[in-house]
Amino acid sequence: MDREREHIIADKSMLQVARVTSILFTPFSIPFLSFLVLFLFSYLRIMPMVYKLIVLGIVYCFTILTPTITIFLFRKINGFDRQDLSERKKRYIPILLTIISYVFCLLMMRKLNIPWYMTGIILASLVVSVICIAVNLKWKLSEHMAGMGGVIGGLVSFSALFGYNPVGWLCLFILIAGILGSARIILGHHTLGEVLSGFAVGLVCALLVLHPMINSLFRIFLF
């Protein structure tokens, strides 16, 4: 009995850790975290504080606050629980609401003449969301892992742009990606294939949009 009880407690603890991990690294938070890392730990930290706060405020409003509020209202109106949105057929509207919010964020940043390597983070997130809603017609990708793939692709891209060594950051976020992918599987929201596919989509999109050697096509949309 004691051993069985220990297993039950361990399973509950694992589920709790998985839930906390999923909440901390929700897809909504990835663009904001990316900007925060750029402004704190890259050459962009020399930018004026007021400018950084304005950019962070815009990103927060359109990538975290607005999608969170609109999806919450969508759930309440339709009587859905948070867990219901993990079902493929109920993911369309939340992803569409996120896409609309990202479009407004991109337009606002372009209007303010924010440099392409910053607006590119939002464009990469937008491209990932469009791919997710298209794939969702037949299958399901992990948006959490797409976000982490985008972060890692962004690190590689910005290291090429700014000329810094990304190994330390890559090790950290690859570790986080592994933990997050395991959490999504433990919670039963995704299979291993959905987790790996989501990560691959995010990684490729970030490289295509942000890497200075291969993003000539997407640079058209950023100027």
Side-chain angles (χ1 to χ4, degrees):
M1 287 294 294
D2 289 340
R3 183 171 295 180
E4 183 178 349
R5 185 178 178 183
E6 288 176 1
H7 282 305
I8 293 172
I9 293 173
D11 289 342
K12 288 183 178 179
S13 299
M14 186 178 294
L15 286 172
Q16 187 62 34
V17 170
R19 291 191 187 99
V20 171
T21 303
S22 293
I23 292 171
L24 285 176
F25 297 100
T26 177
F28 298 147
S29 67
I30 296 300
F32 183 80
L33 289 175
S34 299
F35 275 92
L36 201 58
V37 169
L38 275 179
F39 288 150
L40 291 177
F41 302 106
S42 76
Y43 298 124
L44 300 185
R45 64 178 179 270
I46 65 174
M47 287 184 166
M49 180 59 69
V50 174
Y51 183 84
K52 290 188 286 188
L53 290 176
I54 290 173
V55 174
L56 286 173
I58 292 171
V59 173
Y60 177 81
C61 286
F62 285 104
T63 67
I64 296 180
L65 186 61
T66 302
T68 299
I69 292 174
T70 53
I71 292 173
F72 174 79
L73 293 175
F74 170 75
R75 286 200 301 109
K76 291 300 180 182
I77 291 171
N78 291 276
F80 293 158
D81 292 327
R82 184 186 296 273
Q83 300 296 327
D84 292 334
L85 298 184
S86 63
E87 298 179 21
R88 183 174 62 84
K89 293 183 179 180
K90 295 179 181 178
R91 289 159 60 91
Y92 293 109
I93 299 300
I95 297 176
L96 184 59
L97 292 171
T98 303
I99 289 173
I100 293 171
S101 186
Y102 281 5
V103 168
F104 277 105
C105 184
L106 189 61
L107 292 174
M108 177 68 74
M109 295 178 81
R110 287 194 63 182
K111 186 175 181 180
L112 295 175
N113 294 316
I114 294 174
W116 69 267
Y117 47 82
M118 294 191 205
T119 57
I121 294 174
I122 304 301
L123 180 59
S125 301
L126 178 60
V127 172
V128 169
S129 297
V130 171
I131 292 175
C132 285
I133 201 171
V135 172
N136 198 57
L137 294 171
K138 294 293 183 181
W139 202 45
K140 187 170 72 168
L141 293 176
S142 172
E143 293 175 66
H144 284 74
M145 291 304 294
M148 290 309 303
V151 170
I152 293 172
L155 284 171
V156 174
S157 300
F158 283 120
S159 69
L161 179 64
F162 295 123
Y164 68 88
N165 187 342
V167 172
W169 285 104
L170 284 175
C171 290
L172 174 63
F173 280 102
I174 288 172
L175 176 62
I176 293 173
I179 295 172
L180 182 59
S182 299
R184 302 305 291 167
I185 295 172
I186 289 170
L187 292 173
H189 294 322
H190 293 288
T191 64
L192 178 60
E194 293 167 352
V195 164
L196 294 177
S197 298
F199 181 84
V201 166
L203 177 65
V204 171
C205 288
L207 290 174
L208 289 175
V209 175
L210 294 171
H211 200 286
M213 295 183 66
I214 57 178
N215 70 347
S216 55
L217 176 62
F218 285 97
R219 288 277 287 275
I220 298 172
F221 298 98
L222 297 173
F223 286 107

PDB file of all heavy atoms in Angstrom, residues 63-94:
ATOM      1  N   THR A  63       0.295  40.344 -27.898  1.00  0.00           N
ATOM      2  CA  THR A  63       0.622  38.912 -27.941  1.00  0.00           C
ATOM      3  C   THR A  63       0.255  38.160 -26.663  1.00  0.00           C
ATOM      4  O   THR A  63       0.217  36.931 -26.673  1.00  0.00           O
ATOM      5  CB  THR A  63       2.126  38.695 -28.212  1.00  0.00           C
ATOM      6  OG1 THR A  63       2.895  39.169 -27.098  1.00  0.00           O
ATOM      7  CG2 THR A  63       2.560  39.403 -29.475  1.00  0.00           C
ATOM      8  N   ILE A  64      -0.005  38.886 -25.585  1.00  0.00           N
ATOM      9  CA  ILE A  64      -0.395  38.223 -24.336  1.00  0.00           C
ATOM     10  C   ILE A  64      -1.773  38.694 -23.877  1.00  0.00           C
ATOM     11  O   ILE A  64      -2.702  37.887 -23.731  1.00  0.00           O
ATOM     12  CB  ILE A  64       0.645  38.476 -23.223  1.00  0.00           C
ATOM     13  CG1 ILE A  64       1.986  37.843 -23.586  1.00  0.00           C
ATOM     14  CG2 ILE A  64       0.147  37.909 -21.891  1.00  0.00           C
ATOM     15  CD1 ILE A  64       3.067  38.047 -22.542  1.00  0.00           C
ATOM     16  N   LEU A  65      -1.912  40.005 -23.651  1.00  0.00           N
ATOM     17  CA  LEU A  65      -3.136  40.534 -23.060  1.00  0.00           C
ATOM     18  C   LEU A  65      -4.353  40.328 -23.961  1.00  0.00           C
ATOM     19  O   LEU A  65      -5.369  39.746 -23.532  1.00  0.00           O
ATOM     20  CB  LEU A  65      -2.948  42.017 -22.742  1.00  0.00           C
ATOM     21  CG  LEU A  65      -4.092  42.693 -21.984  1.00  0.00           C
ATOM     22  CD1 LEU A  65      -4.290  42.028 -20.623  1.00  0.00           C
ATOM     23  CD2 LEU A  65      -3.819  44.182 -21.811  1.00  0.00           C
ATOM     24  N   THR A  66      -4.265  40.790 -25.203  1.00  0.00           N
ATOM     25  CA  THR A  66      -5.419  40.698 -26.102  1.00  0.00           C
ATOM     26  C   THR A  66      -5.832  39.256 -26.397  1.00  0.00           C
ATOM     27  O   THR A  66      -7.022  38.917 -26.276  1.00  0.00           O
ATOM     28  CB  THR A  66      -5.140  41.459 -27.414  1.00  0.00           C
ATOM     29  OG1 THR A  66      -4.845  42.825 -27.116  1.00  0.00           O
ATOM     30  CG2 THR A  66      -6.345  41.397 -28.350  1.00  0.00           C
ATOM     31  N   PRO A  67      -4.893  38.355 -26.797  1.00  0.00           N
ATOM     32  CA  PRO A  67      -5.319  36.965 -27.028  1.00  0.00           C
ATOM     33  C   PRO A  67      -5.893  36.301 -25.779  1.00  0.00           C
ATOM     34  O   PRO A  67      -6.870  35.555 -25.866  1.00  0.00           O
ATOM     35  CB  PRO A  67      -4.025  36.269 -27.478  1.00  0.00           C
ATOM     36  CG  PRO A  67      -3.167  37.351 -28.008  1.00  0.00           C
ATOM     37  CD  PRO A  67      -3.483  38.550 -27.160  1.00  0.00           C
ATOM     38  N   THR A  68      -5.301  36.585 -24.609  1.00  0.00           N
ATOM     39  CA  THR A  68      -5.791  35.971 -23.376  1.00  0.00           C
ATOM     40  C   THR A  68      -7.220  36.399 -23.078  1.00  0.00           C
ATOM     41  O   THR A  68      -8.083  35.566 -22.746  1.00  0.00           O
ATOM     42  CB  THR A  68      -4.881  36.345 -22.186  1.00  0.00           C
ATOM     43  OG1 THR A  68      -3.557  35.864 -22.439  1.00  0.00           O
ATOM     44  CG2 THR A  68      -5.401  35.726 -20.902  1.00  0.00           C
ATOM     45  N   ILE A  69      -7.494  37.697 -23.221  1.00  0.00           N
ATOM     46  CA  ILE A  69      -8.843  38.211 -22.939  1.00  0.00           C
ATOM     47  C   ILE A  69      -9.849  37.682 -23.943  1.00  0.00           C
ATOM     48  O   ILE A  69     -10.940  37.212 -23.571  1.00  0.00           O
ATOM     49  CB  ILE A  69      -8.838  39.750 -22.934  1.00  0.00           C
ATOM     50  CG1 ILE A  69      -8.039  40.274 -21.742  1.00  0.00           C
ATOM     51  CG2 ILE A  69     -10.270  40.291 -22.884  1.00  0.00           C
ATOM     52  CD1 ILE A  69      -7.859  41.781 -21.731  1.00  0.00           C
ATOM     53  N   THR A  70      -9.519  37.731 -25.231  1.00  0.00           N
ATOM     54  CA  THR A  70     -10.479  37.304 -26.255  1.00  0.00           C
ATOM     55  C   THR A  70     -10.760  35.804 -26.173  1.00  0.00           C
ATOM     56  O   THR A  70     -11.908  35.370 -26.343  1.00  0.00           O
ATOM     57  CB  THR A  70      -9.967  37.662 -27.659  1.00  0.00           C
ATOM     58  OG1 THR A  70      -8.641  37.129 -27.839  1.00  0.00           O
ATOM     59  CG2 THR A  70      -9.933  39.162 -27.862  1.00  0.00           C
ATOM     60  N   ILE A  71      -9.727  35.006 -25.907  1.00  0.00           N
ATOM     61  CA  ILE A  71      -9.940  33.557 -25.788  1.00  0.00           C
ATOM     62  C   ILE A  71     -10.723  33.228 -24.516  1.00  0.00           C
ATOM     63  O   ILE A  71     -11.570  32.325 -24.512  1.00  0.00           O
ATOM     64  CB  ILE A  71      -8.593  32.811 -25.825  1.00  0.00           C
ATOM     65  CG1 ILE A  71      -7.976  32.933 -27.222  1.00  0.00           C
ATOM     66  CG2 ILE A  71      -8.770  31.337 -25.473  1.00  0.00           C
ATOM     67  CD1 ILE A  71      -6.574  32.382 -27.332  1.00  0.00           C
ATOM     68  N   PHE A  72     -10.469  33.977 -23.444  1.00  0.00           N
ATOM     69  CA  PHE A  72     -11.249  33.780 -22.215  1.00  0.00           C
ATOM     70  C   PHE A  72     -12.733  34.071 -22.472  1.00  0.00           C
ATOM     71  O   PHE A  72     -13.609  33.298 -22.054  1.00  0.00           O
ATOM     72  CB  PHE A  72     -10.718  34.702 -21.120  1.00  0.00           C
ATOM     73  CG  PHE A  72     -11.535  34.682 -19.853  1.00  0.00           C
ATOM     74  CD1 PHE A  72     -11.405  33.644 -18.944  1.00  0.00           C
ATOM     75  CD2 PHE A  72     -12.438  35.705 -19.584  1.00  0.00           C
ATOM     76  CE1 PHE A  72     -12.164  33.621 -17.786  1.00  0.00           C
ATOM     77  CE2 PHE A  72     -13.197  35.677 -18.428  1.00  0.00           C
ATOM     78  CZ  PHE A  72     -13.065  34.643 -17.518  1.00  0.00           C
ATOM     79  N   LEU A  73     -13.011  35.176 -23.168  1.00  0.00           N
ATOM     80  CA  LEU A  73     -14.402  35.504 -23.493  1.00  0.00           C
ATOM     81  C   LEU A  73     -15.020  34.451 -24.406  1.00  0.00           C
ATOM     82  O   LEU A  73     -16.186  34.073 -24.245  1.00  0.00           O
ATOM     83  CB  LEU A  73     -14.461  36.890 -24.162  1.00  0.00           C
ATOM     84  CG  LEU A  73     -14.092  38.081 -23.265  1.00  0.00           C
ATOM     85  CD1 LEU A  73     -14.070  39.372 -24.081  1.00  0.00           C
ATOM     86  CD2 LEU A  73     -15.060  38.202 -22.106  1.00  0.00           C
ATOM     87  N   PHE A  74     -14.240  33.957 -25.357  1.00  0.00           N
ATOM     88  CA  PHE A  74     -14.709  32.889 -26.246  1.00  0.00           C
ATOM     89  C   PHE A  74     -15.080  31.640 -25.450  1.00  0.00           C
ATOM     90  O   PHE A  74     -16.116  31.013 -25.703  1.00  0.00           O
ATOM     91  CB  PHE A  74     -13.629  32.568 -27.278  1.00  0.00           C
ATOM     92  CG  PHE A  74     -13.891  31.329 -28.085  1.00  0.00           C
ATOM     93  CD1 PHE A  74     -14.848  31.333 -29.093  1.00  0.00           C
ATOM     94  CD2 PHE A  74     -13.179  30.157 -27.831  1.00  0.00           C
ATOM     95  CE1 PHE A  74     -15.088  30.179 -29.834  1.00  0.00           C
ATOM     96  CE2 PHE A  74     -13.413  29.011 -28.568  1.00  0.00           C
ATOM     97  CZ  PHE A  74     -14.379  29.015 -29.572  1.00  0.00           C
ATOM     98  N   ARG A  75     -14.262  31.275 -24.478  1.00  0.00           N
ATOM     99  CA  ARG A  75     -14.551  30.100 -23.654  1.00  0.00           C
ATOM    100  C   ARG A  75     -15.814  30.303 -22.829  1.00  0.00           C
ATOM    101  O   ARG A  75     -16.661  29.406 -22.730  1.00  0.00           O
ATOM    102  CB  ARG A  75     -13.369  29.804 -22.724  1.00  0.00           C
ATOM    103  CG  ARG A  75     -12.166  29.203 -23.392  1.00  0.00           C
ATOM    104  CD  ARG A  75     -11.243  28.506 -22.387  1.00  0.00           C
ATOM    105  NE  ARG A  75     -10.740  29.379 -21.354  1.00  0.00           N
ATOM    106  CZ  ARG A  75     -11.122  29.330 -20.078  1.00  0.00           C
ATOM    107  NH1 ARG A  75     -12.020  28.441 -19.688  1.00  0.00           N
ATOM    108  NH2 ARG A  75     -10.596  30.162 -19.187  1.00  0.00           N
ATOM    109  N   LYS A  76     -15.939  31.488 -22.239  1.00  0.00           N
ATOM    110  CA  LYS A  76     -17.097  31.743 -21.387  1.00  0.00           C
ATOM    111  C   LYS A  76     -18.396  31.762 -22.195  1.00  0.00           C
ATOM    112  O   LYS A  76     -19.428  31.238 -21.756  1.00  0.00           O
ATOM    113  CB  LYS A  76     -16.915  33.072 -20.646  1.00  0.00           C
ATOM    114  CG  LYS A  76     -15.819  33.037 -19.586  1.00  0.00           C
ATOM    115  CD  LYS A  76     -16.120  31.983 -18.538  1.00  0.00           C
ATOM    116  CE  LYS A  76     -15.045  31.939 -17.468  1.00  0.00           C
ATOM    117  NZ  LYS A  76     -15.302  30.889 -16.451  1.00  0.00           N
ATOM    118  N   ILE A  77     -18.354  32.385 -23.362  1.00  0.00           N
ATOM    119  CA  ILE A  77     -19.552  32.468 -24.202  1.00  0.00           C
ATOM    120  C   ILE A  77     -20.006  31.082 -24.635  1.00  0.00           C
ATOM    121  O   ILE A  77     -21.209  30.774 -24.683  1.00  0.00           O
ATOM    122  CB  ILE A  77     -19.285  33.362 -25.428  1.00  0.00           C
ATOM    123  CG1 ILE A  77     -19.120  34.818 -24.988  1.00  0.00           C
ATOM    124  CG2 ILE A  77     -20.411  33.246 -26.457  1.00  0.00           C
ATOM    125  CD1 ILE A  77     -18.649  35.752 -26.072  1.00  0.00           C
ATOM    126  N   ASN A  78     -19.055  30.211 -24.960  1.00  0.00           N
ATOM    127  CA  ASN A  78     -19.381  28.872 -25.455  1.00  0.00           C
ATOM    128  C   ASN A  78     -19.411  27.807 -24.359  1.00  0.00           C
ATOM    129  O   ASN A  78     -19.718  26.643 -24.641  1.00  0.00           O
ATOM    130  CB  ASN A  78     -18.370  28.455 -26.523  1.00  0.00           C
ATOM    131  CG  ASN A  78     -18.506  29.265 -27.794  1.00  0.00           C
ATOM    132  OD1 ASN A  78     -19.320  28.966 -28.662  1.00  0.00           O
ATOM    133  ND2 ASN A  78     -17.703  30.316 -27.920  1.00  0.00           N
ATOM    134  N   GLY A  79     -19.086  28.191 -23.126  1.00  0.00           N
ATOM    135  CA  GLY A  79     -19.126  27.241 -22.032  1.00  0.00           C
ATOM    136  C   GLY A  79     -18.033  26.190 -22.081  1.00  0.00           C
ATOM    137  O   GLY A  79     -18.213  25.075 -21.594  1.00  0.00           O
ATOM    138  N   PHE A  80     -16.871  26.554 -22.662  1.00  0.00           N
ATOM    139  CA  PHE A  80     -15.755  25.620 -22.763  1.00  0.00           C
ATOM    140  C   PHE A  80     -14.848  25.748 -21.539  1.00  0.00           C
ATOM    141  O   PHE A  80     -14.635  26.840 -21.018  1.00  0.00           O
ATOM    142  CB  PHE A  80     -14.909  25.887 -24.015  1.00  0.00           C
ATOM    143  CG  PHE A  80     -15.621  25.604 -25.307  1.00  0.00           C
ATOM    144  CD1 PHE A  80     -15.204  26.203 -26.481  1.00  0.00           C
ATOM    145  CD2 PHE A  80     -16.704  24.744 -25.360  1.00  0.00           C
ATOM    146  CE1 PHE A  80     -15.847  25.950 -27.680  1.00  0.00           C
ATOM    147  CE2 PHE A  80     -17.355  24.480 -26.548  1.00  0.00           C
ATOM    148  CZ  PHE A  80     -16.932  25.084 -27.715  1.00  0.00           C
ATOM    149  N   ASP A  81     -14.310  24.617 -21.105  1.00  0.00           N
ATOM    150  CA  ASP A  81     -13.234  24.629 -20.120  1.00  0.00           C
ATOM    151  C   ASP A  81     -11.906  24.812 -20.834  1.00  0.00           C
ATOM    152  O   ASP A  81     -11.809  24.643 -22.044  1.00  0.00           O
ATOM    153  CB  ASP A  81     -13.205  23.319 -19.324  1.00  0.00           C
ATOM    154  CG  ASP A  81     -14.423  23.173 -18.418  1.00  0.00           C
ATOM    155  OD1 ASP A  81     -14.907  24.215 -17.921  1.00  0.00           O
ATOM    156  OD2 ASP A  81     -14.881  22.037 -18.216  1.00  0.00           O
ATOM    157  N   ARG A  82     -10.864  25.145 -20.070  1.00  0.00           N
ATOM    158  CA  ARG A  82      -9.535  25.305 -20.652  1.00  0.00           C
ATOM    159  C   ARG A  82      -9.091  24.021 -21.363  1.00  0.00           C
ATOM    160  O   ARG A  82      -8.487  24.060 -22.425  1.00  0.00           O
ATOM    161  CB  ARG A  82      -8.523  25.675 -19.566  1.00  0.00           C
ATOM    162  CG  ARG A  82      -7.120  25.957 -20.096  1.00  0.00           C
ATOM    163  CD  ARG A  82      -6.162  26.178 -18.944  1.00  0.00           C
ATOM    164  NE  ARG A  82      -6.517  27.351 -18.175  1.00  0.00           N
ATOM    165  CZ  ARG A  82      -6.103  28.575 -18.463  1.00  0.00           C
ATOM    166  NH1 ARG A  82      -5.324  28.785 -19.524  1.00  0.00           N
ATOM    167  NH2 ARG A  82      -6.448  29.598 -17.713  1.00  0.00           N
ATOM    168  N   GLN A  83      -9.424  22.870 -20.765  1.00  0.00           N
ATOM    169  CA  GLN A  83      -9.006  21.592 -21.334  1.00  0.00           C
ATOM    170  C   GLN A  83      -9.691  21.316 -22.672  1.00  0.00           C
ATOM    171  O   GLN A  83      -9.146  20.607 -23.522  1.00  0.00           O
ATOM    172  CB  GLN A  83      -9.328  20.450 -20.359  1.00  0.00           C
ATOM    173  CG  GLN A  83      -8.646  20.577 -19.003  1.00  0.00           C
ATOM    174  CD  GLN A  83      -7.135  20.504 -19.104  1.00  0.00           C
ATOM    175  OE1 GLN A  83      -6.589  19.802 -19.947  1.00  0.00           O
ATOM    176  NE2 GLN A  83      -6.444  21.251 -18.257  1.00  0.00           N
ATOM    177  N   ASP A  84     -10.876  21.880 -22.861  1.00  0.00           N
ATOM    178  CA  ASP A  84     -11.613  21.631 -24.111  1.00  0.00           C
ATOM    179  C   ASP A  84     -10.860  22.165 -25.325  1.00  0.00           C
ATOM    180  O   ASP A  84     -10.997  21.637 -26.429  1.00  0.00           O
ATOM    181  CB  ASP A  84     -13.004  22.280 -24.058  1.00  0.00           C
ATOM    182  CG  ASP A  84     -13.903  21.608 -23.044  1.00  0.00           C
ATOM    183  OD1 ASP A  84     -13.671  20.412 -22.762  1.00  0.00           O
ATOM    184  OD2 ASP A  84     -14.815  22.267 -22.522  1.00  0.00           O
ATOM    185  N   LEU A  85     -10.072  23.217 -25.137  1.00  0.00           N
ATOM    186  CA  LEU A  85      -9.377  23.836 -26.261  1.00  0.00           C
ATOM    187  C   LEU A  85      -8.221  22.995 -26.773  1.00  0.00           C
ATOM    188  O   LEU A  85      -7.614  23.329 -27.787  1.00  0.00           O
ATOM    189  CB  LEU A  85      -8.874  25.232 -25.868  1.00  0.00           C
ATOM    190  CG  LEU A  85      -9.961  26.241 -25.496  1.00  0.00           C
ATOM    191  CD1 LEU A  85      -9.349  27.591 -25.220  1.00  0.00           C
ATOM    192  CD2 LEU A  85     -11.015  26.345 -26.594  1.00  0.00           C
ATOM    193  N   SER A  86      -7.900  21.912 -26.086  1.00  0.00           N
ATOM    194  CA  SER A  86      -6.873  21.007 -26.595  1.00  0.00           C
ATOM    195  C   SER A  86      -7.413  20.104 -27.699  1.00  0.00           C
ATOM    196  O   SER A  86      -6.647  19.461 -28.417  1.00  0.00           O
ATOM    197  CB  SER A  86      -6.300  20.143 -25.454  1.00  0.00           C
ATOM    198  OG  SER A  86      -7.313  19.315 -24.898  1.00  0.00           O
ATOM    199  N   GLU A  87      -8.749  20.061 -27.845  1.00  0.00           N
ATOM    200  CA  GLU A  87      -9.362  19.280 -28.911  1.00  0.00           C
ATOM    201  C   GLU A  87      -9.165  19.999 -30.244  1.00  0.00           C
ATOM    202  O   GLU A  87      -9.321  21.215 -30.344  1.00  0.00           O
ATOM    203  CB  GLU A  87     -10.855  19.082 -28.646  1.00  0.00           C
ATOM    204  CG  GLU A  87     -11.152  18.303 -27.372  1.00  0.00           C
ATOM    205  CD  GLU A  87     -12.637  18.153 -27.127  1.00  0.00           C
ATOM    206  OE1 GLU A  87     -13.412  18.287 -28.099  1.00  0.00           O
ATOM    207  OE2 GLU A  87     -13.025  17.908 -25.972  1.00  0.00           O
ATOM    208  N   ARG A  88      -8.847  19.228 -31.272  1.00  0.00           N
ATOM    209  CA  ARG A  88      -8.497  19.808 -32.569  1.00  0.00           C
ATOM    210  C   ARG A  88      -9.607  20.695 -33.127  1.00  0.00           C
ATOM    211  O   ARG A  88      -9.353  21.792 -33.617  1.00  0.00           O
ATOM    212  CB  ARG A  88      -8.174  18.689 -33.569  1.00  0.00           C
ATOM    213  CG  ARG A  88      -7.733  19.188 -34.938  1.00  0.00           C
ATOM    214  CD  ARG A  88      -7.289  18.028 -35.812  1.00  0.00           C
ATOM    215  NE  ARG A  88      -8.364  17.097 -36.050  1.00  0.00           N
ATOM    216  CZ  ARG A  88      -9.283  17.242 -37.015  1.00  0.00           C
ATOM    217  NH1 ARG A  88      -9.239  18.298 -37.811  1.00  0.00           N
ATOM    218  NH2 ARG A  88     -10.241  16.360 -37.181  1.00  0.00           N
ATOM    219  N   LYS A  89     -10.849  20.246 -33.045  1.00  0.00           N
ATOM    220  CA  LYS A  89     -11.956  20.980 -33.664  1.00  0.00           C
ATOM    221  C   LYS A  89     -12.321  22.260 -32.918  1.00  0.00           C
ATOM    222  O   LYS A  89     -13.035  23.108 -33.456  1.00  0.00           O
ATOM    223  CB  LYS A  89     -13.179  20.073 -33.762  1.00  0.00           C
ATOM    224  CG  LYS A  89     -12.995  18.911 -34.728  1.00  0.00           C
ATOM    225  CD  LYS A  89     -14.256  18.078 -34.838  1.00  0.00           C
ATOM    226  CE  LYS A  89     -14.078  16.935 -35.825  1.00  0.00           C
ATOM    227  NZ  LYS A  89     -15.295  16.099 -35.943  1.00  0.00           N
ATOM    228  N   LYS A  90     -11.835  22.410 -31.694  1.00  0.00           N
ATOM    229  CA  LYS A  90     -12.143  23.606 -30.914  1.00  0.00           C
ATOM    230  C   LYS A  90     -10.978  24.587 -30.864  1.00  0.00           C
ATOM    231  O   LYS A  90     -11.038  25.589 -30.152  1.00  0.00           O
ATOM    232  CB  LYS A  90     -12.541  23.207 -29.489  1.00  0.00           C
ATOM    233  CG  LYS A  90     -13.843  22.406 -29.430  1.00  0.00           C
ATOM    234  CD  LYS A  90     -14.185  22.003 -28.004  1.00  0.00           C
ATOM    235  CE  LYS A  90     -15.476  21.195 -27.964  1.00  0.00           C
ATOM    236  NZ  LYS A  90     -15.806  20.756 -26.590  1.00  0.00           N
ATOM    237  N   ARG A  91      -9.939  24.305 -31.635  1.00  0.00           N
ATOM    238  CA  ARG A  91      -8.742  25.151 -31.610  1.00  0.00           C
ATOM    239  C   ARG A  91      -8.766  26.247 -32.668  1.00  0.00           C
ATOM    240  O   ARG A  91      -7.947  27.165 -32.628  1.00  0.00           O
ATOM    241  CB  ARG A  91      -7.489  24.284 -31.819  1.00  0.00           C
ATOM    242  CG  ARG A  91      -7.161  23.411 -30.648  1.00  0.00           C
ATOM    243  CD  ARG A  91      -6.270  22.245 -31.043  1.00  0.00           C
ATOM    244  NE  ARG A  91      -5.004  22.659 -31.599  1.00  0.00           N
ATOM    245  CZ  ARG A  91      -3.907  22.850 -30.896  1.00  0.00           C
ATOM    246  NH1 ARG A  91      -3.927  22.666 -29.590  1.00  0.00           N
ATOM    247  NH2 ARG A  91      -2.779  23.195 -31.467  1.00  0.00           N
ATOM    248  N   TYR A  92      -9.693  26.171 -33.624  1.00  0.00           N
ATOM    249  CA  TYR A  92      -9.684  27.115 -34.747  1.00  0.00           C
ATOM    250  C   TYR A  92      -9.835  28.564 -34.294  1.00  0.00           C
ATOM    251  O   TYR A  92      -9.041  29.431 -34.667  1.00  0.00           O
ATOM    252  CB  TYR A  92     -10.803  26.788 -35.744  1.00  0.00           C
ATOM    253  CG  TYR A  92     -10.614  25.495 -36.466  1.00  0.00           C
ATOM    254  CD1 TYR A  92     -11.428  24.394 -36.199  1.00  0.00           C
ATOM    255  CD2 TYR A  92      -9.611  25.349 -37.430  1.00  0.00           C
ATOM    256  CE1 TYR A  92     -11.260  23.195 -36.866  1.00  0.00           C
ATOM    257  CE2 TYR A  92      -9.435  24.150 -38.098  1.00  0.00           C
ATOM    258  CZ  TYR A  92     -10.268  23.078 -37.812  1.00  0.00           C
ATOM    259  OH  TYR A  92     -10.093  21.887 -38.462  1.00  0.00           O
ATOM    260  N   ILE A  93     -10.888  28.824 -33.528  1.00  0.00           N
ATOM    261  CA  ILE A  93     -11.176  30.198 -33.133  1.00  0.00           C
ATOM    262  C   ILE A  93     -10.069  30.781 -32.259  1.00  0.00           C
ATOM    263  O   ILE A  93      -9.614  31.911 -32.509  1.00  0.00           O
ATOM    264  CB  ILE A  93     -12.549  30.297 -32.423  1.00  0.00           C
ATOM    265  CG1 ILE A  93     -13.661  29.854 -33.367  1.00  0.00           C
ATOM    266  CG2 ILE A  93     -12.798  31.726 -31.956  1.00  0.00           C
ATOM    267  CD1 ILE A  93     -13.760  30.684 -34.642  1.00  0.00           C
ATOM    268  N   PRO A  94      -9.581  30.066 -31.230  1.00  0.00           N
ATOM    269  CA  PRO A  94      -8.465  30.630 -30.442  1.00  0.00           C
ATOM    270  C   PRO A  94      -7.239  30.960 -31.280  1.00  0.00           C
ATOM    271  O   PRO A  94      -6.625  32.022 -31.102  1.00  0.00           O
ATOM    272  CB  PRO A  94      -8.160  29.508 -29.428  1.00  0.00           C
ATOM    273  CG  PRO A  94      -9.453  28.796 -29.265  1.00  0.00           C
ATOM    274  CD  PRO A  94     -10.086  28.822 -30.623  1.00  0.00           C
TER     275      PRO A  94
END
